[in-house]
Amino acid sequence: MRPKRGNVLVALAAVMLFSFSCFCISRLTQTSNQLINCRNHILEFKEKMLLLKNKTERNRQELIKALSKIKYEMTQRKNTSVNLVEKKVNTLVSFALGISTVNRGNQSYLSQTLNSVVSRMSPSEEKDSVVIVSVADRNEDYLKYVVDMITKRFKRQLKSGSLEVISIPAFFYPNILPLTQSTEDSGKLESWRIKQVLDFCFLMLYAQPKAMYYLQLEDDIIAKKMYFTKITDFVHNGTSNNWFYIEFSILGFIGKLFKSEDLTDFVRFFLMFYKDKPIDLLLGDIFQVKMCDPGETPEKCAERNKHIRIRYKPSLFQHVGIQSSFPGREQYSKDIYY
């Protein structure tokens, strides 16, 4: 009996040992698989971050290449005025004023906007600035209309170099903006918003080497009398140089003043998220990222940094357009501080 019991115990111990060994091997295999999966997830995350970084840099390079190509084409077409009109500014001026314009169908506010912006400068202020009109529209008829209108009404400014007209070519968009073919209004609106961010980025990079400061305007606004004098006095005398940007209008992206040396950082940020939000919302986001401490509430950050994100009152620019640049939409937004 004892030998049989001994054999049974040995057999039972062997089974248990085998089972335990299998369990340990299984756990080890699971642990190994988890480690492999974890490593793969880390590598995948690292790869995605690298792709995002490379994509942002590629987008920036696309913009720079587009600018270089445009400047080359301008040089080749110096004696023609059908497609582009540009007068070179030989010396660095204080302010570049950027206006992006698109076709609004039967309605156009550009002539009124330019007349307001240009006529309310003194001769010395005109010499110390350049107004850049960027035609961000593939419609050749609209481009011709803008060129003809500016050539007739602002001939002196074109000749002096205080006014330039550029056109963003079609080749700029395909690699960066895969426009959807959706017929839904939401899809069209999203594509319009994405293109608008890219239009502003292009204009910012073009204007950057021309002036010390860059003022963003739109093609359906009017300026207050002596607006330029007030901006100059405020920048030079009314505030320290430690500012992020200055708002001369509370609406959207209108009347935002930047230091030209900072435009590259702004453009890089906009190109990272140009598909996610309109550009005026991205402007608030970059402030949060660059200027707010981790864990700090937006209210506390805004209070602490009012001296670097400055709002000038009363506003110097008013939105007057009703027909939106988005086809078929009307807008009635007004700056209550104007």
Side-chain angles (χ1 to χ4, degrees), residues 74-93:
M74 284 178 174
T75 303
Q76 300 301 310
R77 301 177 186 180
K78 248 183 177 181
N79 298 323
T80 65
S81 60
V82 177
N83 294 317
L84 298 171
V85 177
E86 182 201 30
K87 275 288 180 180
K88 298 289 184 181
V89 177
N90 296 321
T91 57
L92 189 70
V93 295

Side-chain angles (χ1 to χ4, degrees), residues 20 34 49 80 172 177 183 230 283 288 292 296 312:
F20 179 73
Q34 288 175 350
M49 292 299 294
T80 65
F172 167 68
L177 181 61
T183 58
K230 292 175 182 177
L283 188 60
Q288 292 288 112
C292 296
E296 187 175 38
Y312 179 92

Side-chain angles (χ1 to χ4, degrees), residues 95-291:
F95 292 89
L97 291 71
I99 301 174
S100 180
T101 186
V102 296
N103 184 15
R104 297 174 188 254
N106 296 325
Q107 185 66 58
S108 176
Y109 307 96
L110 181 60
S111 177
Q112 178 187 10
T113 295
L114 281 176
N115 186 62
S116 173
V117 169
V118 171
S119 67
R120 289 172 177 174
M121 290 183 185
S122 67
S124 61
E125 290 170 345
E126 189 176 299
K127 288 180 181 178
D128 197 28
S129 64
V130 55
V131 177
I132 304 167
V133 177
S134 174
V135 184
D137 200 299
R138 301 182 188 184
N139 186 316
E140 290 290 331
D141 290 336
Y142 183 67
L143 174 59
K144 188 175 185 304
Y145 157 76
V146 172
V147 171
D148 290 345
M149 181 271 291
I150 291 178
T151 302
K152 291 175 183 176
R153 300 186 184 182
F154 302 95
K155 187 175 182 179
R156 180 179 58 79
Q157 288 81 7
L158 282 173
K159 188 175 180 180
S160 69
S162 63
L163 176 60
E164 296 183 11
V165 182
I166 64 172
S167 175
I168 302 181
F171 71 79
F172 167 68
Y173 295 102
N175 294 331
I176 299 177
L177 181 61
L179 287 173
T180 62
Q181 301 300 316
S182 172
T183 58
E184 297 293 329
D185 287 344
S186 60
K188 292 180 180 179
L189 181 60
E190 182 181 2
S191 296
W192 170 77
R193 284 175 176 168
I194 289 173
K195 178 181 175 297
Q196 189 179 61
V197 176
L198 297 175
D199 292 343
F200 285 130
C201 287
F202 186 94
L203 184 51
M204 285 174 140
L205 283 181
Y206 179 84
Q208 184 179 32
K210 294 179 176 291
M212 295 173 60
Y213 303 100
Y214 174 76
L215 179 67
Q216 181 65 60
L217 300 175
E218 293 189 7
D219 64 345
D220 59 347
I221 59 99
I222 57 172
K224 271 191 173 177
K225 292 180 180 179
M226 297 186 67
Y227 79 95
F228 199 94
T229 304
K230 292 175 182 177
I231 290 176
T232 304
D233 289 346
F234 187 73
V235 170
H236 294 155
N237 305 316
T239 181
S240 69
N241 197 43
N242 184 32
W243 49 270
F244 191 47
Y245 62 88
I246 303 175
E247 300 180 83
F248 292 98
S249 170
I250 64 168
L251 296 179
F253 211 48
I254 297 171
K256 305 304 185 281
L257 183 73
F258 307 90
K259 298 172 189 171
S260 291
E261 63 189 31
D262 294 335
L263 287 179
T264 300
D265 288 339
F266 280 100
V267 169
R268 282 175 178 167
F269 187 86
F270 295 152
L271 289 178
M272 286 183 69
F273 304 103
Y274 70 96
K275 291 184 178 180
D276 300 316
K277 291 183 180 181
I279 197 164
D280 54 321
L281 298 185
L282 290 177
L283 188 60
D285 290 341
I286 191 174
F287 175 80
Q288 292 288 112
V289 171
K290 289 182 70 70
M291 301 299 172

Side-chain angles (χ1 to χ4, degrees), residues 323-335:
Q323 176 60 53
S324 170
S325 57
F326 180 70
R329 170 174 288 190
E330 293 184 349
Q331 55 186 6
Y332 298 89
S333 55
K334 296 292 181 183
D335 191 327

Side-chain angles (χ1 to χ4, degrees), residues 16 48 316:
M16 291 178 65
K48 286 182 178 179
L316 299 180

